[in-house]
Amino acid sequence: MSSSSIQRRFRRGRRAVVGALALALLATGCSGEQAAAPPSGKAPAQGGAPAASAPTADFGPVQVDPETLKGFAESAIYRTWDPCALHDPTSAAKIFSDVVALIEPSDFTSCLMTIKLDRTGSRSWRIYTRIASSYLQEEGGEVLEAAGRKFVQAKKGSSSSPGCEYDMQTSKTKSLSLQVSWSGSLSTDPPPKDPCALAKEYMTALAPFFVNPPLRSEKATEPQLPLASKDPCVPVKDLAEKFKSLTGAGEQPKLSSGLSPNDCTVVFSSKYTPGQRTRPEISIGYKWSIDPAEGIGAGGTVRKTQVEGKPALVNERTSGSTGCIVTVQYDPLEIPEVDRVQVVQVGAPDCQTAEEAAKIVTKAALS
């Protein structure tokens, strides 16, 4: 697909091993019965799944409760999957009756395919594949059975735009999802076909790939995004030791997982410091963002700097619970039409802490 920002390689030679899904992430399987253990003797690059065991990272003095630890084991697997490789442009072109105009990662866990029905793109289908989506079993609707698995149609939300979503449960609270939405030239411009009928047909085509998710190590899409596979919690021990003064009296710092497998937060105290609006915590995020070298911030005071020899942006916030955010360019690679680069982002109560923490985190990400 020469017109796509992300290039998708031909699917020949896909793995025969169905280990990468690792539906046995949890002690209890999705059906409520005891789940079988996933393959433990294969690394992702060999076509298998990482074992659903506790992460081997040394968290030092940071407390990690069992549920959070279980979530980190899930996240380690999700980071190996390539959301853009879940798409099939050939099938999409047939089902949606037009060529694929663009495939782009909207973040490290989701990928957008756009099919334009006119030259301006004012009438288009927007099709997302998502990893580690939230899953609420009680909110499910129609069930599609394909490739030996169940895909549940999500109940429609309050959004005014026509669309439809299918979810394949991967753990107690997470799923792989496909979302199809219509964007018309006017709010009254109806979709040319039923979004749910199209979603069902495309979901059926993608089902074998959802059941056996493509790994980033397979290099099925270009360019490669190495930061997406890295564990953001690796520098937690060093952060806890460096900033132990943030820890509340009689407390131990705790680890908190974010909504994304690419987020991690050290909570030093459960209490706010009197007279301060910021939380005593340091957050880490590996993500897409505007290149910090451009010097564009999101409100507050902004200044450019360098962190570990990389362009960085320090953004002091005047509102919210995070006092300062430092964004560091991980790689200058910018995908055409996406206008984003891979970045390391660190939030802290103040800019001095954020900058010092950003050095630790960036060094870990680059290693």
Side-chain angles (χ1 to χ4, degrees):
M1 300 297 298
S2 59
S3 62
S4 299
S5 294
I6 287 283
Q7 298 299 308
R8 181 69 175 87
R9 295 181 179 179
F10 190 58
R11 290 186 182 275
R12 180 178 296 166
R14 286 185 54 86
R15 305 184 313 287
V17 179
V18 190
L21 186 54
L23 295 181
L25 288 168
L26 306 175
T28 302
C30 299
S31 65
E33 300 175 355
Q34 191 72 13
S40 58
K42 294 184 178 181
Q46 296 172 297
S53 57
T56 57
D58 182 3
F59 297 125
V62 181
Q63 290 183 328
V64 190
D65 64 66
E67 280 301 311
T68 299
L69 201 60
K70 192 183 295 181
F72 287 141
E74 288 185 47
S75 292
I77 295 171
Y78 293 139
R79 286 193 298 270
T80 69
W81 297 352
D82 184 347
C84 284
L86 288 169
H87 276 298
D88 187 339
T90 302
S91 294
K94 292 178 181 177
I95 293 166
F96 291 88
S97 304
D98 214 322
V99 297
V100 174
L102 185 69
I103 301 176
E104 59 179 292
S106 49
D107 56 43
F108 286 162
T109 59
S110 64
C111 188
L112 168 64
M113 173 186 286
T114 304
I115 296 180
K116 298 178 180 179
L117 302 190
D118 58 28
R119 290 185 178 182
T120 64
S122 61
R123 303 179 75 250
S124 63
W125 292 105
R126 297 170 62 84
I127 309 157
Y128 288 92
T129 47
R130 291 192 170 95
I131 292 169
S133 292
S134 296
Y135 183 81
L136 297 173
Q137 190 168 9
E138 62 274 14
E139 293 189 5
E142 176 188 330
V143 176
L144 165 68
E145 294 194 17
R149 291 301 312 280
K150 293 181 179 180
F151 299 84
V152 182
Q153 187 181 118
K155 289 186 177 180
K156 294 182 180 179
S158 57
S159 172
S160 59
S161 60
C164 198
E165 178 179 335
Y166 276 93
D167 300 316
M168 187 192 79
Q169 189 176 7
T170 54
S171 73
K172 187 177 180 180
T173 60
K174 298 292 184 181
S175 68
L176 282 173
S177 69
L178 170 71
Q179 182 184 30
V180 173
S181 62
W182 165 253
S183 177
S185 55
L186 298 171
S187 59
T188 55
D189 185 7
K193 296 181 180 179
D194 176 16
C196 282
L198 294 174
K200 185 175 183 178
E201 188 175 355
Y202 190 44
M203 185 73 264
T204 302
L206 297 186
F209 312 127
F210 270 55
V211 170
N212 187 20
L215 300 175
R216 291 187 183 276
S217 60
E218 292 178 320
K219 300 180 180 180
T221 58
E222 295 177 341
Q224 301 299 297
L225 305 175
L227 186 60
S229 301
K230 290 182 176 283
D231 184 353
C233 294
V234 167
V236 159
K237 179 182 177 182
D238 291 339
L239 291 174
E241 292 175 349
K242 173 72 173 178
F243 302 104
K244 56 186 176 183
S245 61
L246 292 175
T247 306
E251 294 187 277
Q252 272 188 276
K254 295 181 180 180
L255 205 58
S256 172
S257 59
L259 295 176
S260 165
N262 304 101
D263 293 338
C264 188
T265 300
V266 183
V267 180
F268 288 88
S269 175
S270 60
K271 305 171 184 176
Y272 279 82
T273 303
Q276 293 189 5
R277 62 175 172 79
T278 57
R279 292 175 180 165
E281 62 184 37
I282 295 176
S283 62
I284 303 166
Y286 294 167
K287 58 187 64 182
W288 283 112
S289 182
I290 296 172
D291 192 341
E294 297 181 13
I296 301 173
T301 303
V302 176
R303 61 180 170 84
K304 292 183 179 181
T305 187
Q306 292 266 322
V307 174
E308 294 295 313
K310 296 284 188 175
L313 196 69
V314 180
N315 190 179
E316 185 174 7
R317 314 297 291 273
T318 56
S319 61
S321 59
T322 302
C324 190
I325 295 175
V326 176
T327 304
V328 185
Q329 180 199 83
Y330 174 81
D331 190 300
L333 172 70
E334 188 171 277
I335 296 177
E337 297 189 50
V338 179
D339 194 29
R340 294 289 187 273
V341 298
Q342 299 169 84
V343 301
V344 171
Q345 198 168 82
V346 178
D350 59 80
C351 286
Q352 181 179 347
T353 302
E355 288 189 74
E356 292 178 2
K359 293 177 183 178
I360 295 171
V361 176
T362 303
K363 186 175 181 179
L366 292 172
S367 63

